[in-house]
Amino acid sequence: MVLLAWPLALTNLSQMALLATDSAYLGHLSTEALAAVTLSGALFWTVLSPGFGLSFAAAAMLAQERGRRVGHVRAMRRTLRAGLLGAVLAAVPGMVLLWNGGAVLLALGQEPGLAEKAQDFLRCILWGIPAFGIFLTLRGLMAAMERPWPPLVMGLLAVPLNALLGWVLIFGHLGAPALGVRGAGIAGAVADGFMAVALAIFIARDRRLRRYRFFGRLWRLDMARLGRLVRLGLPIAAQMLLEIGLFSAVGLVMGSFGAQAVAAHAIALQIASTTFAVPLGLGQAATARVGLAIGAGRPWAARRAGWVAVLLAVAFMLPMALGMMLAPGALARLFLDPAAPDTAETAALAATLLFLAGLFQVSDGVQVVGAGALRGLHDTRAPMLIAAGGYWGLGFLAALALAFPAGLGPAGIWAGLVLGLAGVAGAMTWRWARLSRRGGLTARARPA
């Protein structure tokens, strides 16, 4: 599990590094440019949710098909074709929305100047969305094949490529025009294209993978397989939208408490997102390991893989939680300029939020790994309903109640997140335990 999960986790961190590079460049360009691209982030990740859902569904299907062994090559080839087609089709509505991103942000009450700059950025980076969806689908294939290192290599190579292109296009070095936020968008789209093309070339040329002929007859439409992929993937996409929407809504509510609260929220969220990349990789590995075992008709192995992934998530997130709870102030000051006049107040609030983030680290890790293990069983509807109830029915309502009627302010919002994530983690674990105890794995294990 560790050998499969760590490269997946590092690949997730490489995707974060792409965004961090753009933020660093644009922060030196102007505060307005950084704010505009930061504002674009929530909208951009929201439209990526359908692609993520379909890619995770494809990974689950591919893992079970490989586990069956008999006839698995043809089945995997058909699923991959459906996954690649689904990734491209899922990108189209999002691209249309992002092309009109400025109007969307204006409708949400954002400043016209920031909305205009955000639209410039979005109209450039949106061209990389189909390629990013293809990369995610191919990464799921490599996870099912238990070869996670090639996607990691492509992701790591994309970081310096994005950094070089951003440096040239944002600031106008090496004789190029200074494009500002447009340059950041172009660099991001090119990096996404590079990852997809490079990974596809590797799969087509690798000696061990070449015999599968994964890209053979790509033009053939398999509507039945695509329909199955959509039915499995839409609940995953909805679950991701619920989670992304929760943190986006929390960010908007945080704005009512002023700039310092927004800055403190951004610091705590950045650190929590970084630690989250590791259990996210464990969840992706759990999908593959559970799916392989179920496809092979080995329910005991699937049960063991799911619980091992959960325990590994706890083992990693527990020290992360202790670090945030024991040294929140030191972590917060890493993101702040000591010479700024309001640093002390912002650092104090960020330290409070980081302490609360420490309280939900274990819950956050367990819930994402639980969802990944359940995806290996092709169980996606129940996790979606759990996310709806936990994130919004419990977490967001508690955040509003604690922040305003209870008078806890920004700390109350993050306390609500603690409750919501704890509820989701408990429900995901209960569902996995229930399926294991009552023979749910045996019912899904259908050897060829």
Side-chain angles (χ1 to χ4, degrees):
M1 184 68 73
V2 170
L3 289 174
L4 182 58
W6 272 107
L8 293 170
L10 291 174
T11 305
N12 296 331
L13 286 171
S14 74
Q15 306 308 302
M16 297 177 63
L18 294 174
L19 299 175
T21 303
D22 291 338
S23 297
Y25 282 154
L26 294 170
H28 285 85
L29 183 66
S30 71
T31 302
E32 187 181 30
L34 177 59
V37 174
T38 302
L39 192 63
S40 305
L43 194 59
F44 181 73
W45 287 108
T46 298
V47 304
L48 287 181
S49 296
F52 272 110
L54 291 178
S55 69
F56 286 161
M61 291 172 62
L62 288 163
Q64 283 202 14
E65 287 159 358
R66 181 171 179 247
R68 292 190 184 101
R69 297 296 180 183
V70 178
H72 70 288
V73 174
R74 183 170 179 268
M76 292 181 72
R77 192 183 300 136
R78 291 171 60 194
T79 296
L80 180 64
R81 282 203 301 261
L84 294 174
L85 177 60
V88 174
L89 293 178
V92 174
M95 294 173 71
V96 173
L97 179 65
L98 292 186
W99 186 264
N100 300 283
V104 174
L105 292 172
L106 284 175
L108 293 174
Q110 302 300 323
E111 297 179 7
L114 290 179
E116 182 180 357
K117 282 187 174 295
Q119 180 168 281
D120 289 340
F121 171 77
L122 291 171
R123 285 187 172 181
C124 293
I125 199 171
L126 64 84
W127 299 106
I129 293 178
F132 188 61
I134 290 171
F135 173 76
L136 291 175
T137 304
L138 295 178
R139 186 179 69 173
L141 168 67
M142 297 304 289
M145 299 298 295
E146 298 181 280
R147 296 188 62 184
W149 288 100
L152 171 60
V153 172
M154 308 314 169
L156 292 177
L157 289 175
V159 174
L161 174 63
N162 179 72
L164 176 61
L165 288 175
W167 179 74
V168 170
L169 297 175
I170 293 172
F171 301 107
H173 294 301
L174 302 180
L179 299 178
V181 295
R182 290 190 183 92
I186 294 171
V190 172
D192 289 339
F194 165 79
M195 290 189 297
V197 172
L199 186 54
I201 291 174
F202 173 84
I203 292 171
R205 296 179 63 86
D206 180 74
R207 180 178 57 83
R208 291 165 55 190
L209 297 173
R210 199 163 42 206
R211 64 187 180 89
Y212 286 87
R213 297 180 63 246
F214 281 123
F215 301 121
R217 300 178 180 177
L218 277 177
W219 60 88
R220 282 196 173 183
L221 294 179
D222 189 338
M223 298 308 296
R225 188 62 59 101
L226 181 60
R228 182 181 168 200
L229 182 71
V230 170
R231 287 192 297 273
L232 187 65
L234 282 182
I236 302 174
Q239 180 185 342
M240 297 191 67
L241 277 172
L242 289 166
E243 186 170 2
I244 293 171
L246 172 67
F247 282 94
S248 298
V250 162
L252 292 174
V253 174
M254 196 68 73
S256 64
F257 293 102
Q260 289 183 2
V262 174
H265 171 75
I267 291 170
L269 189 60
Q270 179 64 49
I271 294 175
S273 299
T274 302
T275 61
F276 179 74
V278 174
L280 178 60
L282 280 166
Q284 293 164 331
T287 299
R289 298 293 299 164
V290 170
L292 286 167
I294 289 297
R298 301 169 62 227
W300 62 92
R303 183 181 302 114
R304 182 176 57 193
W307 284 118
V308 165
V310 169
L311 293 175
L312 285 172
V314 173
F316 176 80
M317 293 301 262
L318 189 57
M320 298 299 103
L322 292 175
M324 291 184 193
M325 296 171 69
L326 295 176
L331 291 172
R333 285 190 290 272
L334 294 174
F335 292 80
L336 296 168
D337 181 3
D342 57 351
T343 292
E345 293 83 357
T346 304
L349 180 55
T352 300
L353 300 185
L354 276 170
F355 181 87
L356 292 168
L359 292 178
F360 70 60
Q361 286 298 287
V362 173
S363 297
D364 207 14
V366 169
Q367 64 89 17
V368 73
V369 170
L374 291 169
R375 278 197 297 271
L377 304 179
H378 293 187
D379 182 32
T380 59
R381 293 184 181 179
M384 176 191 68
L385 296 175
I386 290 171
Y391 292 146
W392 290 92
L394 176 60
F396 189 64
L397 292 181
L400 294 178
L402 293 171
F404 296 104
L408 297 181
I413 293 177
W414 276 68
L417 295 179
V418 173
L419 294 175
L421 287 167
V424 172
M428 292 287 189
T429 306
W430 171 83
R431 177 141 183 98
W432 175 258
R434 178 174 176 270
L435 289 175
S436 301
R437 185 172 60 250
R438 297 184 62 181
L441 299 183
T442 303
R444 287 171 168 82
R446 298 171 182 171

